[in-house]
Amino acid sequence: MKTQTLQRQFRLWTVILVVVPSLLIMAIYTINQINIVKQKKLELISQRVDFQRRLIEYWLEERAIDVHMLSQLKSFRTLDEEQMKIALELTQQNSKEFDSLSFIDRDGLFKISTLPGGIQFSSAINQTYFQGALAGEEYISDIVIGRNSGLPIINFSSPIYDNEGIFQGVLLGSVRTTKIETLLRENWMGETGEILLVNRAGKLIAQPRYVTTLIEEGILEGDSKKEVKLSSEALASIHIGETGKASWTDYLGNKVMGAYQYMPERGWTLVGSVDEEEILTPIYTQLGKMAGGTLLLLVLILPFATRLTNFIKKPIDWLIGQSNLISTEKYEKIERNKELRKMPQELGNLCKSFLQMSFIIENTVGLLKENEVKLESKVVEIREINVSMEKEIVERKKAQADLQWLNARLEDEVSYRTQQLQQSEQQYRKLVENSPDVICRFDKEYRFIYVNPAFTLITGISLAQAVGKTSAETGAPEEYCSRWVKNLDAVFYTGSKLEIESWSVRLDDQHFYSIRLIPEFNKDGQVESVLCIARDVTEKQQLERRMAQIDRLNIVGEMAAAIGHEVRNPMTTVRGYLQLFQKKEQFLKYGESLGTMIEELDRANSIITEFLSLAKNKAVDMKRGNLNKVIQTILPLLQADALCWGHEINAECSNIPDSDFDEKEIRQLILNLVRNGFEAIEDRGEVIVRTYLHNDNVVLEVQDTGKGIPNEVMDKLGIPFVTTKDGGTGLGLSVCYRIVDRHEAKIDVSTGRNGTIFTIYFNLSKSYVVEQEIA
């Protein structure tokens, strides 16, 4: 391969040193700027989508408030139709937001409406907004097609009550979706930007920006003004019902970047996007300018590089010629007086050094001959050094032998210590494997490192099946695993021992264990693993529990007798007077109130009678039935109570099998737990009654959103006449615990700042009462 000249190489390297760094800089700049611009744009789009969401929610809330305030006018409470009509027309004219406002009477018929085309479907009895009004709820609908207008609208409704609080009808306000479309488009960004509003089914509930193009290309289905749906490819990267950022190809085939945000109250997803080409256009323009500048710089540098190469090449050619003279030993032809000032300083210094080197070479030849004589004397010195080195080698061999003897002694000592450690380990292993206590170890990921035979005997899980797995991976119940992870996490975090007592369910029985969690540290003082030792203290726990139950029953029996005598007699007297007042003419106008008071006294007397029967430890009247039917029977009564308290009551009933229970006592149990939940809620809240099937148990669960039960009261639950902070007597929960005992069921209580959950497990084969876990 032919070697290139210095001039050609210099030009080549000039091009490389200019072009390559420039390309590298442009590539790094472009990639970095693209990432930065994309990230900033995505964040800006996400902020604007969130702003649009809050704008829509504020707009919906304003319309709901308008309808509510209108329903509170005096003309609506007094059902003055003339004034009502005037109020609806004035509101529509002033607001400019509603397309129509209508009054529907309590029979579900449209009486007054500002709809321009009139009412074609006069009955609203089966409409969701009317049913919600009957339940005392204000309602905001999804996007629907108006029955009378035939247009996509949103309905806002509010119940109307007269001055005595009696339901008289519904005020309905309808707004076309074009209002939302205007809000979306006026506040969006970019020349190609678009914002969509999608429901749970992926259908658009506001017209897109390019609706005409979409209809022509057949992307939209149906009538675009009523019901439109995007193809699945257009929303493939968007998770309907979630919030996030993404890049995708839109329904027109353009690469776009955007964000989406879920509106849980409406079930809508707001999707905003801008074409990626619009976002990256400034970067591509800047890249073109940089490329042009690089090319211009290269054109300017090449002539300068050629001139510089020629300037450097002349002294190098002179050096090559002088080197050839030295190699042929023609020292007399060397130019000793070369003019060096007209060349670069570095090359001038190189030439000076070359001339000095030529003198040195001439003198070196003479010195070599002198060194030959000196070399012979050095050989003698080397021989003397070899003799001394041989003596040193002998001494080193002796030291090596001593070292080998010491190593043998050390190996014997290590072998003896190893045998002792093995014996100690075997004794420890025998002690652990023969221990009746459950012993196991966990690593930082809460996985088993070791389990002893007692663990296998209790759980049926062998050492090979447990090692390397968490409790959840071995098939343990989910609620047990979550509590176990919290306890292990506390030990790993604090580095302190933890002692707890807890129930642990076996395949055929349930045992109560006293558990110690002991941290194990590494050489750096960090917790490396946790040792768990669990001892079965079931008999002790059962004895303490049974003694507590006996004490509770004795207290209940004594107090019940006092209640029966001290309360029922005065109630009977009051009831007699109320019946007497009903017959007097001067009290006829209070007849309905007196009847209500008599009914309430009868109800209270019935509750006392039931409580007295519970205190007598009577046998339950077990019959076959379904808990869901009992809940549905008393749900209207619970809803009435919830309305009085200002709370909500909901039932979530799963498909459960029939079981044996005393229906009268189960009704009393549910009523007491729900009313106890109402009392625990300070402001507005909710109580949920659930039923479901869990491990062959029919489960009844009552959850409230109250303030929770204080720790000092948790240990006294179920004991009557133990006054709580809010002045309660504890009789309601005492009756509940007594009913659970008689049904041989199990009750569990969990509480916190987010409320309290009472969970009752009905099992025909076994019965347990599980108290709060002690940690």
Side-chain angles (χ1 to χ4, degrees):
M1 184 176 179
K2 185 177 181 181
T3 304
Q4 294 181 346
T5 63
L6 177 63
Q7 188 176 24
R8 182 173 295 178
Q9 290 183 0
F10 198 84
R11 289 177 177 177
L12 178 61
W13 281 105
T14 300
V15 174
I16 292 174
L17 292 176
V18 172
V19 174
V20 172
S22 298
L23 292 176
L24 184 60
I25 291 171
M26 286 188 289
I28 294 174
Y29 169 81
T30 303
I31 293 172
N32 187 44
Q33 286 299 309
I34 288 176
N35 291 334
I36 292 174
V37 170
K38 282 185 175 181
Q39 187 66 28
K40 288 183 177 179
K41 204 68 176 180
L42 276 175
E43 186 64 30
L44 178 60
I45 293 173
S46 178
Q47 292 175 2
R48 292 297 294 272
V49 169
D50 182 63
F51 172 77
Q52 294 290 76
R53 175 190 62 79
R54 287 185 282 110
L55 185 63
I56 291 174
E57 289 178 348
Y58 178 75
W59 181 82
L60 291 172
E61 184 178 354
E62 275 193 330
R63 302 292 77 73
I65 291 174
D66 290 342
V67 172
H68 174 75
M69 295 301 295
L70 189 59
S71 68
Q72 301 300 311
L73 294 178
K74 180 179 179 181
S75 58
F76 287 92
R77 293 199 310 272
T78 59
L79 300 181
D80 186 342
E81 294 190 5
E82 184 66 26
Q83 292 300 321
M84 290 163 62
K85 183 176 181 180
I86 295 173
L88 293 179
E89 292 175 350
L90 288 176
T91 300
Q92 184 167 354
Q93 292 175 3
N94 295 333
S95 175
K96 302 298 183 181
E97 295 289 346
F98 292 99
D99 290 292
S100 67
L101 290 166
S102 303
F103 166 69
I104 303 170
D105 65 11
R106 60 183 178 184
D107 295 325
L109 299 177
F110 282 84
K111 288 296 186 179
I112 304 173
S113 177
T114 62
L115 188 67
I119 301 298
Q120 299 178 7
F121 298 91
S122 60
S123 176
I125 192 69
N126 294 323
Q127 298 301 309
T128 305
Y129 56 80
F130 186 79
Q131 296 299 324
L134 287 176
E137 299 177 353
E138 295 184 345
Y139 176 76
I140 302 177
S141 73
D142 201 344
I143 303 297
V144 296
I145 302 301
R147 295 188 304 157
N148 291 298
S149 65
L151 300 174
I153 60 173
I154 302 175
N155 286 324
F156 299 83
S157 66
S158 179
I160 298 174
Y161 299 95
D162 59 16
N163 294 328
E164 296 181 359
I166 299 175
F167 175 75
Q168 294 297 337
V170 182
L171 183 61
L172 176 67
S174 300
V175 181
R176 291 180 58 183
T177 56
T178 53
K179 302 293 183 179
I180 294 180
E181 295 169 5
T182 302
L183 284 176
L184 294 176
R185 293 173 184 173
E186 288 181 351
N187 295 280
W188 194 234
M189 57 191 292
E191 297 180 0
T192 61
E194 181 174 28
I195 185 161
L196 306 174
L197 195 58
V198 187
N199 65 10
R200 293 186 180 92
K203 292 184 178 180
L204 296 179
I205 52 181
Q207 283 190 357
R209 179 173 185 173
Y210 306 103
V211 62
T212 304
T213 303
L214 296 179
I215 296 174
E216 292 175 354
E217 296 185 4
I219 295 177
L220 294 183
E221 301 175 0
D223 185 352
S224 63
K225 293 184 178 180
K226 294 181 180 179
E227 184 174 309
V228 292
K229 183 175 182 181
L230 291 177
S231 61
S232 58
E233 292 81 8
L235 298 178
S237 300
I238 300 173
H239 302 286
I240 301 300
E242 298 182 10
T243 298
K245 307 171 186 175
S247 298
W248 67 89
T249 301
D250 67 4
Y251 45 82
L252 295 177
N254 299 324
K255 187 74 173 179
V256 299
M257 298 172 57
Y260 50 95
Q261 191 163 112
Y262 183 53
M263 301 172 65
E265 296 82 359
R266 307 269 67 82
W268 300 343
T269 301
L270 197 61
V271 183
S273 64
V274 177
D275 281 8
E276 190 173 294
E277 182 178 351
E278 178 183 347
I279 296 173
L280 300 181
T281 296
I283 298 177
Y284 294 149
T285 303
Q286 185 66 26
L287 181 62
K289 294 179 180 179
M290 294 175 65
T294 301
L295 182 61
L296 179 61
L297 179 63
L298 183 62
V299 171
L300 296 175
I301 286 179
L302 280 177
F304 175 76
T306 301
R307 185 175 181 182
L308 180 62
T309 302
N310 294 331
F311 183 68
I312 296 174
K313 186 173 177 291
K314 285 184 179 181
I316 293 176
D317 291 339
W318 180 82
L319 285 174
I320 293 173
Q322 299 301 307
S323 298
N324 291 333
L325 293 176
I326 293 175
S327 63
T328 57
E329 297 184 356
K330 296 178 181 180
Y331 301 108
E332 68 280 1
K333 294 184 178 181
I334 296 176
E335 299 181 22
R336 306 291 186 183
N337 299 318
K338 175 69 177 175
E339 182 63 43
L340 304 177
R341 290 178 298 175
K342 295 182 179 180
M343 62 181 67
Q345 182 179 359
E346 291 79 4
L347 291 175
N349 293 336
L350 177 62
C351 293
K352 289 180 182 179
S353 299
F354 177 81
L355 294 174
Q356 293 175 359
M357 183 181 65
S358 64
F359 287 110
I360 294 172
I361 291 175
E362 289 180 12
N363 297 328
T364 300
V365 174
L367 293 174
L368 288 174
K369 294 180 179 180
E370 295 178 1
N371 289 334
E372 288 180 358
V373 177
K374 296 180 180 179
L375 183 61
E376 293 179 357
S377 61
K378 292 294 183 181
V379 171
V380 176
E381 294 179 1
I382 291 173
R383 289 175 180 174
E384 293 177 352
I385 293 173
N386 287 338
V387 173
S388 62
M389 289 180 65
E390 289 177 355
K391 292 180 180 180
E392 185 177 354
I393 289 172
V394 172
E395 293 177 357
R396 287 188 176 183
K397 287 182 178 180
K398 182 180 178 181
Q400 185 176 4
D402 294 340
L403 181 61
Q404 290 177 349
W405 180 79
L406 290 174
N407 286 338
R409 291 287 304 275
L410 182 59
E411 288 177 357
D412 293 339
E413 183 67 21
V414 170
S415 176
Y416 174 75
R417 295 293 185 185
T418 302
Q419 291 178 357
Q420 288 185 328
L421 288 174
Q422 290 176 348
Q423 292 176 357
S424 298
E425 183 178 357
Q426 291 176 356
Q427 293 175 356
Y428 172 77
R429 186 174 296 276
K430 288 180 180 179
L431 178 63
V432 171
E433 292 180 349
N434 294 317
S435 173
D437 296 338
V438 174
I439 300 176
C440 51
R441 295 175 65 229
F442 297 86
D443 61 12
K444 292 182 178 179
E445 302 298 328
Y446 312 125
R447 296 177 297 208
F448 287 99
I449 302 174
Y450 169 79
V451 296
N452 70 338
F455 177 91
T456 302
L457 181 63
I458 294 298
T459 64
I461 302 173
S462 65
L463 175 63
Q465 294 172 332
V467 171
K469 297 180 180 179
T470 62
S471 298
E473 291 172 348
T474 61
E478 181 179 354
E479 61 271 19
Y480 171 83
C481 295
S482 61
R483 293 199 308 268
W484 193 243
V485 168
K486 289 181 181 178
N487 292 330
L488 288 175
D489 191 55
V491 177
F492 275 111
Y493 180 78
T494 62
S496 302
K497 292 191 297 184
L498 180 64
E499 296 186 5
I500 59 176
E501 292 183 355
S502 176
W503 288 99
S504 179
V505 179
R506 297 173 56 185
L507 296 177
D508 57 343
D509 203 353
Q510 182 174 4
H511 284 210
F512 193 81
Y513 285 90
S514 175
I515 303 172
R516 287 186 298 164
L517 298 178
I518 304 172
E520 297 177 331
F521 301 88
N522 57 17
K523 63 181 180 179
D524 297 327
Q526 298 177 343
V527 179
E528 187 71 20
S529 58
V530 173
L531 176 65
C532 173
I533 302 175
R535 176 163 296 178
D536 192 340
V537 293
T538 305
E539 295 181 358
K540 175 185 175 183
Q541 172 66 18
Q542 289 177 344
L543 179 59
E544 293 176 355
R545 186 188 64 192
R546 192 49 57 190
M547 292 300 295
Q549 289 176 344
I550 292 172
D551 293 339
R552 187 166 64 234
L553 291 176
N554 290 337
I555 294 173
V556 170
E558 293 173 3
M559 296 302 176
I563 290 173
H565 179 73
E566 298 295 334
V567 176
R568 295 178 69 179
N569 289 341
M571 288 175 58
T572 302
T573 302
V574 172
R575 190 180 188 281
Y577 276 109
L578 292 174
Q579 289 179 330
L580 181 62
F581 290 157
Q582 280 185 314
K583 299 177 181 179
K584 300 292 185 179
E585 293 183 1
Q586 60 267 37
F587 294 107
L588 289 179
K589 62 180 178 180
Y590 303 111
E592 184 177 351
S593 300
L594 293 173
T596 302
M597 294 172 65
I598 291 174
E599 290 177 359
E600 292 299 322
L601 284 173
D602 291 340
R603 180 183 170 192
N605 188 52
S606 177
I607 294 174
I608 293 173
T609 301
E610 291 178 5
F611 180 69
L612 292 175
S613 64
L614 291 176
K616 295 177 182 179
N617 195 21
K618 69 172 184 179
V620 291
D621 183 12
M622 304 288 280
K623 294 181 181 180
R624 200 69 173 175
N626 194 289
L627 284 180
N628 289 344
K629 293 182 179 179
V630 177
I631 294 174
Q632 293 301 325
T633 300
I634 64 174
L635 187 58
L637 177 60
L638 296 176
Q639 289 174 341
D641 285 353
L643 186 61
C644 293
W645 283 90
H647 304 319
E648 293 183 4
I649 178 72
N650 289 301
E652 298 177 0
C653 297
S654 302
N655 187 17
I656 60 174
D658 292 346
S659 58
D660 293 334
F661 56 85
D662 188 322
E663 180 178 347
K664 188 175 181 180
E665 291 203 341
I666 293 302
R667 286 169 54 91
Q668 186 63 42
L669 172 68
I670 298 173
L671 286 171
N672 283 3
L673 290 179
V674 171
R675 288 167 177 167
N676 188 69
F678 288 156
E679 293 177 359
I681 301 174
E682 293 181 345
D683 298 321
R684 288 187 60 85
E686 180 184 21
V687 175
I688 303 175
V689 180
R690 298 187 182 93
T691 60
Y692 55 90
L693 190 63
H694 177 71
N695 292 341
D696 296 330
N697 291 323
V698 175
V699 181
L700 171 64
E701 186 175 279
V702 179
Q703 178 183 0
D704 64 64
T705 58
K707 57 189 177 182
I709 301 175
N711 293 332
E712 64 270 15
V713 178
M714 283 295 297
D715 297 334
K716 302 175 182 180
L717 289 181
I719 301 177
F721 300 104
V722 176
T723 303
T724 59
K725 287 184 177 181
D726 57 2
T729 62
L731 283 175
L733 284 181
S734 176
V735 171
C736 293
Y737 272 79
R738 191 71 184 94
I739 294 173
V740 170
D741 286 343
R742 285 212 289 265
H743 279 76
E744 296 186 345
K746 179 177 71 174
I747 183 167
D748 190 8
V749 185
S750 62
T751 186
R753 290 180 296 179
N754 294 327
T756 304
I757 302 177
F758 287 87
T759 307
I760 299 95
Y761 300 87
F762 294 96
N763 190 317
L764 297 179
S765 59
K766 292 289 182 180
S767 63
Y768 305 102
V769 178
V770 179
E771 305 294 342
Q772 184 74 5
E773 180 178 320
I774 303 172

